[in-house]
Amino acid sequence: MIVGTAGHIDHGKTSLVTALTGVAGDRLKEEKRRGITIDLGFAFLPLPDGSTLGFIDVPGHERFVHTMVAGASGIDIALLAVAADDGVMPQTREHLAILDLLQIGRGVIAITKADLATPERLSEVSAQIREATAGTVLDGGEILPVSSVSGQGVDRLRERLVAEAHALGERATEGRFRLAVDRSFTLAGIGVVVTGTVLSGVVRVRDQVLLSPSGLSARVRSLHAQNREVDAGRAGDRCALNLAGEGISKEAIHRGDMVIDPFLHAPTERIDARLRLLPGEPKPVAQWFPARLHHGAMEVGARVVLLDGEQLLPGHAADVQLVLDKPIAAASLDRFVLRDVSAQRTIGGGQFFDLRAPTRQRRTAAREAQRAALAISDPREAFAALLEAPPFAWDLAAFARDRALSASKRDEIADALSPILFHADEQSTAIGHSHWHSFVEGLVERLDAFHAANPDLQGMGREKLRVSLQPKLPPAAFALALQHADVTGRVVRDGAFVRLTSHSLHMSPEREALWQRVAPLLGGDVRFRPPRVRDVAGLLARPEQDVRQLMKFAARLGLVDEVAHDHFFLRPTMHDMVLIAADLAAHAADGSFTAAQFRDRIDSGRKVAIQILEFFDRQRVTLNRGTLRRVQLQYIDLYGPVP
């Protein structure tokens, strides 16, 4: 459990922490020389029950409010200090606003330097505090006069903080591990150490973790929680992790990074959120408003895109999209603070909803429904609402990742809602039963209409069919949907085509006889460089037009594919060439390969190799990036055997 101080500079926060714990929070020489807190300070108070209460002492100077936000993001209980001689001051109000924006719901208020004040002055300051905290998370909070010098009220304050900690209880640890890094340093004989507050989950010695957003992998060699060496750190603990791994160094880790469960690594730079503008702001926020975003210990430049109206008035809240200068590691429902670009004042804050916000169609009714669903705090209720929002098919695995949910919690959601699930490519695409039935009926109706309009075609292209249906499933999930028991009795997948079971094409006996002579000419040793139509016609002494018509009809049946004009390849050969491209990509460091590499593997000419790759580009099997190509694995079965 973590207590965090808040309050104006020189209002006795550090002295109060020292009086409560016996530990001086200031650790930097500059801090000791100047007598003010510049960076975060830490102290720990062992409790009789064996637990430990951690303290984060934050700076009160306006120049270091960004550091205060970093400390406040990980606390459970706020300790607001107001000096009896000064009363409520500017940073008192700003720190209070930050606590309110971060929704630090439990706290105690201490009137420090009480030994220097008369009873009348203490009453006056108490009235100021009541006025300042009205309507905030500390509204009605207990106010205790204390003195770090005489010890007045310190024991009572300590007892009150311990009672708050016991009332709050331990944080739930069922989520996946996340720690917000606020310090990184090296210790002789130990190595790289990072410190921060565990935001969720549990971390243990020897766990594999990731630094995000950098993506560096590390192993936890040892750890301290609440200033003691332990085997595990839990949500709410103040932890120091000794990390080891390739590329792990003090310079490679920065304040604001997250140490996370590897499953959670998915940095984002575009987030839909709810933003509340503080009432004291002099101007409304307009479109593309520049600001500094504070999340955890991270500070990053941001632009505010309003999703409703053209300005956000002071004291009001609205949905916005935050476009960041660089990616950050975050979780849905995390809270954030916005400060102005000059870092002179806090202007507002709120809560993240969607970490995968789109760049277009941000104001549609569909997006509004999606944001409303994602704003629901209960994960089961939120995902149930998502399944009723367009596009009515959602990735449960991505939802669980963005909320840092454990595998067991994800499975609980699946068991409770019982959606139709398709697991492919690390995705778990879920569809509610009513929308699934609509999808199946829409699939059959679309194919029926296609066959009526195109009776001489084998079927509809799989990708063309996929994008024409609602819900629009990802390619890999769509391929699995075609194999679902509700579909297989009515629909058949023929390679890259889909047709109704009632629809079929057959060769006439004459064409069948000719095909039996043509097919061997396209296979065997020449399968990667088959003869063109005119060459086949010459070899068989048949009219070129007869051979061309046969090949066109064979293409409708899915027996061949016309890669270039009059150049047909057998369907099994197409599958083999897709696998060759995938193998080239798999053995390349960056997953890319050249046309020359592909040409050499199929032992063909450059022109033919280019024609084949351009055909694959059109079918989305490959992506062309100048002289390099990448394979889209979700499409490599387009020319494979029918499952």
Side-chain angles (χ1 to χ4, degrees):
M1 203 63 62
I2 303 296
V3 176
T5 65
H8 196 77
I9 184 173
D10 200 30
H11 275 205
K13 297 185 294 297
T14 302
S15 298
L16 184 57
V17 170
T18 301
L20 288 165
T21 65
V23 178
D26 288 339
R27 58 184 175 82
L28 301 178
K29 291 181 180 179
E30 180 70 6
E31 291 177 341
K32 295 180 182 297
R33 184 181 68 80
R34 296 171 60 184
I36 65 171
T37 301
I38 297 173
D39 208 337
L40 299 175
F42 309 102
F44 299 91
L45 175 65
L47 302 182
D49 64 0
S51 62
T52 301
L53 198 58
F55 286 79
I56 295 180
D57 182 25
V58 307
H61 196 287
E62 64 175 2
R63 288 174 51 199
F64 305 115
V65 171
H66 66 284
T67 307
M68 182 271 171
V69 179
S73 296
I75 70 175
D76 303 288
I77 302 166
L79 174 55
L80 179 65
V82 181
D85 52 351
D86 282 343
V88 173
M89 297 291 283
Q91 257 53 64
T92 311
R93 296 185 184 278
E94 185 167 16
H95 283 204
L96 182 59
I98 291 169
L99 295 174
D100 197 47
L101 292 169
L102 295 176
Q103 290 294 288
I104 309 300
R106 304 189 79 92
V108 180
I109 305 162
I111 301 180
T112 59
K113 306 180 184 180
D115 57 320
L116 304 178
T118 64
E120 292 76 19
R121 178 56 182 169
L122 292 176
S123 296
E124 182 181 344
V125 173
S126 294
Q128 291 179 11
I129 293 171
R130 290 295 181 210
E131 181 272 329
T133 58
T136 72
V137 289
L138 294 185
D139 192 354
E142 186 173 358
I143 301 173
L144 300 175
V146 297
S147 169
S148 302
V149 176
S150 69
Q152 174 189 345
V154 171
D155 289 342
R156 183 182 174 193
L157 175 59
R158 186 185 299 112
E159 292 170 359
R160 188 71 188 85
L161 291 171
V162 171
E164 285 286 336
H166 287 156
L168 189 59
E170 292 188 358
R171 288 195 201 177
T173 59
E174 64 180 11
R176 292 183 184 265
F177 170 66
R178 293 197 302 148
L179 177 141
V181 176
D182 50 47
R183 278 197 296 162
S184 171
F185 51 91
T186 57
L187 291 176
I190 295 178
V192 177
V193 176
V194 299
T195 65
T197 301
V198 181
L199 303 180
S200 63
V202 178
V203 63
R204 296 178 174 84
V205 175
R206 293 184 293 278
D207 276 358
Q208 287 295 132
V209 294
L210 272 182
L211 272 298
S212 195
S214 68
L216 286 173
S217 180
R219 178 175 56 87
V220 180
R221 295 176 59 186
S222 62
L223 66 89
H224 282 67
Q226 307 296 71
N227 210 34
R228 295 181 298 180
E229 187 170 3
V230 294
D231 292 327
R234 302 175 179 278
D237 283 349
R238 178 76 199 168
C239 278
L241 307 182
N242 174 207
L243 301 180
E246 185 177 353
I248 297 297
S249 66
K250 173 186 174 182
E251 293 72 26
I253 305 172
H254 309 95
R255 170 176 283 185
D257 287 350
M258 289 272 187
V259 185
I260 58 173
D261 180 318
F263 174 77
L264 301 181
H265 180 58
T268 177
E269 56 189 351
R270 190 177 291 269
I271 305 171
D272 280 357
R274 187 74 173 173
L275 170 64
R276 177 163 66 90
L277 194 61
L278 292 178
E281 274 302 286
K283 295 181 180 179
V285 165
Q287 290 289 15
W288 212 240
F289 180 84
R292 302 295 296 176
L293 181 137
H294 295 262
H295 164 257
M298 170 65 76
E299 178 185 354
V300 63
R303 293 278 184 167
V304 178
V305 179
L306 300 175
L307 300 178
D308 183 19
E310 296 304 318
Q311 62 177 11
L312 173 59
L313 298 175
H316 290 72
D319 286 351
V320 300
Q321 187 169 107
L322 302 169
V323 182
L324 311 184
D325 290 349
K326 62 181 181 180
I328 67 171
S332 297
L333 305 185
D334 280 355
R335 303 200 72 86
F336 67 94
V337 170
L338 279 188
R339 305 194 79 225
D340 73 317
V341 291
S342 66
Q344 291 184 341
R345 70 183 192 279
T346 300
I347 62 177
Q351 190 172 33
F352 297 152
F353 293 155
D354 189 355
L355 305 183
R356 316 297 154 197
T359 59
R360 304 176 63 186
Q361 297 183 328
R362 294 178 286 210
R363 292 187 169 207
T364 63
R367 280 300 299 163
E368 186 176 348
Q370 292 164 19
R371 287 193 299 272
L374 290 166
I376 299 171
S377 59
D378 180 84
R380 185 191 66 78
E381 294 178 11
F383 198 72
L386 270 184
L387 293 179
E388 295 303 318
F392 309 110
W394 293 91
D395 184 355
L396 178 56
F399 176 82
R401 178 199 64 209
D402 287 350
R403 290 215 174 193
L405 301 180
S406 64
S408 60
K409 189 64 177 179
R410 177 200 61 207
D411 293 343
E412 279 182 28
I413 294 172
D415 292 342
L417 301 179
S418 299
I420 305 296
L421 278 171
F422 299 109
H423 303 286
D425 296 340
E426 299 183 353
Q427 294 181 329
S428 297
T429 304
I431 311 175
H433 285 272
S434 62
H435 295 291
W436 168 248
H437 293 313
S438 298
F439 171 84
V440 174
E441 293 308 313
L443 170 65
V444 172
E445 291 173 6
R446 185 73 182 88
L447 287 175
D448 190 47
F450 181 84
H451 292 324
N454 306 276
D456 59 342
L457 294 182
Q458 170 199 8
M460 190 173 183
R462 193 174 86 186
E463 183 62 13
K464 184 177 180 180
L465 176 62
R466 181 186 74 86
V467 300
S468 70
L469 297 173
Q470 290 294 334
K472 186 185 295 183
L473 301 182
F478 183 69
L480 292 175
L482 295 177
Q483 302 172 45
H484 192 277
D486 293 346
V487 176
T488 52
R490 306 165 72 179
V491 170
V492 174
R493 198 197 91 190
D494 286 340
F497 298 95
V498 183
R499 62 177 173 83
L500 293 177
T501 53
S502 57
H503 178 79
S504 62
L505 293 177
H506 300 282
M507 286 187 180
S508 65
E510 295 78 9
R511 278 182 170 171
E512 179 64 33
L514 181 57
W515 172 250
Q516 293 303 322
R517 298 178 63 194
V518 169
L521 300 177
L522 306 180
D525 294 339
V526 299
R527 61 196 181 112
F528 294 138
R529 49 184 186 282
R532 295 175 182 269
V533 166
R534 64 176 178 272
D535 301 319
V536 173
L539 290 170
L540 297 180
R542 293 292 299 264
E544 187 176 321
Q545 185 62 24
D546 288 355
V547 175
R548 183 175 293 109
Q549 289 177 352
L550 170 69
M551 300 298 279
K552 295 284 188 181
F553 192 77
R556 294 176 195 150
L557 292 178
L559 300 174
V560 294
D561 289 284
E562 188 174 12
V563 168
H565 176 66
D566 275 359
H567 205 181
F568 293 85
F569 288 69
L570 292 172
R571 176 56 61 85
T573 302
M574 298 297 294
H575 181 55
D576 289 343
M577 292 192 296
V578 170
L579 295 182
I580 287 171
D583 185 64
L584 285 170
H587 286 86
D590 61 353
S592 301
F593 64 94
T594 64
Q597 290 173 306
F598 182 74
R599 174 204 63 198
D600 293 343
R601 284 289 295 273
I602 66 172
D603 190 21
S604 184
R606 176 174 173 79
K607 180 179 178 181
V608 172
I610 291 292
Q611 288 175 337
I612 294 167
L613 291 174
E614 288 178 346
F615 178 83
F616 285 154
D617 292 343
R618 293 193 295 273
Q619 303 303 311
R620 302 179 69 177
V621 174
T622 54
L623 287 175
N624 189 359
R625 294 291 183 266
T627 60
L628 297 174
R629 279 179 169 81
R630 301 179 70 89
V631 172
Q632 298 206 93
L633 294 177
Q634 64 266 40
Y635 294 108
I636 65 172
D637 68 332
L638 278 180
Y639 303 99
V642 176

